[in-house]
Amino acid sequence: MTRIDRRFAKLAAEGRAAFVPYVMAGDPDRETSLEIIRGLPAAGADLIEFGLPFTDPMADGPAVQLAGQRALEAGMTLQGTLDLVRALRETDDETPVVIMGYYNPIYSMGVETFLAEAKSAGVDGLIVVDLPPEEDDELCLPAKAAGLNFIRLATPTTDDRRLPKVLSNTSGFVYYVSITGITGAAEATAAAVAPEVARIKSQGGLPVCVGFGIKTPERASEIAKVADGVVVGSAIVERIGAGQSPAEVLAFVKSLADAAHNAKG
């Protein structure tokens, strides 16, 4: 079992949903980013998604695009992202870490080198948004062989014909994108999400985390009632982009985590 598997088993036994914050690695600079990242577990993060900065982030909305630009301008790289994971592991060896991004930087490093470095750094899972199931030989299957979870996205347009393909070789959890479009767009609603979560779980059996369109503690609580996990990204990186201190950002994260954790209580 990976850290991700163990964490979801623990949460299921406790009867509560996971809270999963997304932060762009190196945003707005390495030192500030590391301070925030190291504070996330104490603020209630059950898993952490590290965004991998990339120059052409086609699935990201304005807030996450700007976060990536800030990180790139501050010198963040794929190797630097892995070094941040290593730095987190100096103080936390339990919280699962997922790298979310695009294939190009991984391809440029070399898949074999990347997987060895990621495993050594303490990465537990990958979300690579521009690699469909038809390309599993590129990274998904090698990642699984290296002991990393490969987490796939499902969307409102993933119909029953497509879903089995999406779920094939997926492990750890399924990331359900609650709205069509880019990150940071419309708000997710439990009424729309609940039947989709049930449909995905009935076919795959994996935990389902819901992201996109969750911006407030109230919405996090609502979604946590019907999902195995709640992912919040844009609302967090917007605060980083606005210049809030790490303490302020972490206080907001805690408000989201508390709402998600208490939703099923």
Side-chain angles (χ1 to χ4, degrees):
M1 293 180 73
T2 65
R3 288 186 186 92
I4 295 172
D5 299 326
R6 290 194 295 271
R7 182 55 54 95
F8 275 109
K10 179 176 183 289
L11 291 167
E14 295 171 354
R16 64 185 180 93
F19 178 69
V20 187
Y22 167 100
V23 291
M24 181 66 69
D27 174 34
D29 55 65
R30 186 187 187 281
E31 293 72 22
T32 307
S33 181
L34 180 57
E35 185 175 350
I36 292 169
I37 287 164
R38 281 181 163 164
L40 288 173
D46 297 296
L47 296 84
I48 303 171
E49 284 186 10
F50 281 51
L52 174 60
F54 182 51
T55 53
D56 186 23
M58 62 184 182
D60 298 332
V64 176
Q65 286 191 24
L66 288 170
Q69 290 174 15
R70 290 190 298 268
L72 289 169
E73 289 168 2
M76 186 51 53
T77 61
L78 173 52
Q79 186 62 61
T81 300
L82 296 176
D83 289 343
L84 281 175
V85 180
R86 290 183 194 277
L88 171 66
R89 291 289 175 231
E90 293 173 1
T91 58
D92 184 305
D93 195 44
E94 296 297 323
T95 306
V97 168
V98 175
I99 288 183
M100 183 173 186
Y102 299 84
Y103 184 46
N104 185 277
I106 296 170
Y107 178 81
S108 297
M109 176 179 281
V111 168
E112 187 174 336
T113 299
F114 166 73
L115 291 175
E117 287 280 321
K119 186 70 175 176
S120 171
V123 174
D124 303 290
L126 305 174
I127 301 174
V128 183
V129 299
D130 55 346
L131 276 184
E134 289 76 13
E135 305 293 336
D136 274 358
D137 289 344
E138 287 283 329
L139 182 63
C140 173
L141 296 180
K144 291 185 71 174
L148 298 176
N149 290 124
F150 198 87
I151 296 139
R152 196 88 67 188
L153 303 179
T155 74
T157 61
T158 306
D159 60 21
D160 287 338
R161 180 182 299 178
R162 179 64 175 170
L163 186 57
K165 188 70 173 176
V166 169
L167 295 176
S168 67
N169 299 319
T170 299
S171 62
F173 64 93
V174 179
Y175 188 136
Y176 179 65
V177 177
S178 63
I179 56 175
T180 55
I182 56 174
T183 59
E187 286 197 318
T189 65
V193 164
E196 292 299 298
V197 170
R199 181 171 70 96
I200 294 166
K201 286 178 71 72
S202 71
Q203 291 205 35
L206 290 169
V208 178
C209 293
V210 176
F212 287 49
I214 304 169
K215 303 177 181 180
T216 64
E218 293 76 20
R219 194 49 52 93
S221 176
E222 179 185 344
I223 298 300
K225 289 181 171 71
V226 300
D228 299 298
V230 176
V231 184
V232 179
S234 293
I236 296 171
V237 301
E238 282 172 355
R239 283 162 171 77
I240 296 171
Q244 288 192 5
S245 68
E248 290 172 313
V249 172
L250 292 169
F252 175 63
V253 170
K254 187 177 187 304
S255 73
L256 295 164
D258 288 348
H261 291 156
N262 296 328
K264 297 181 180 181

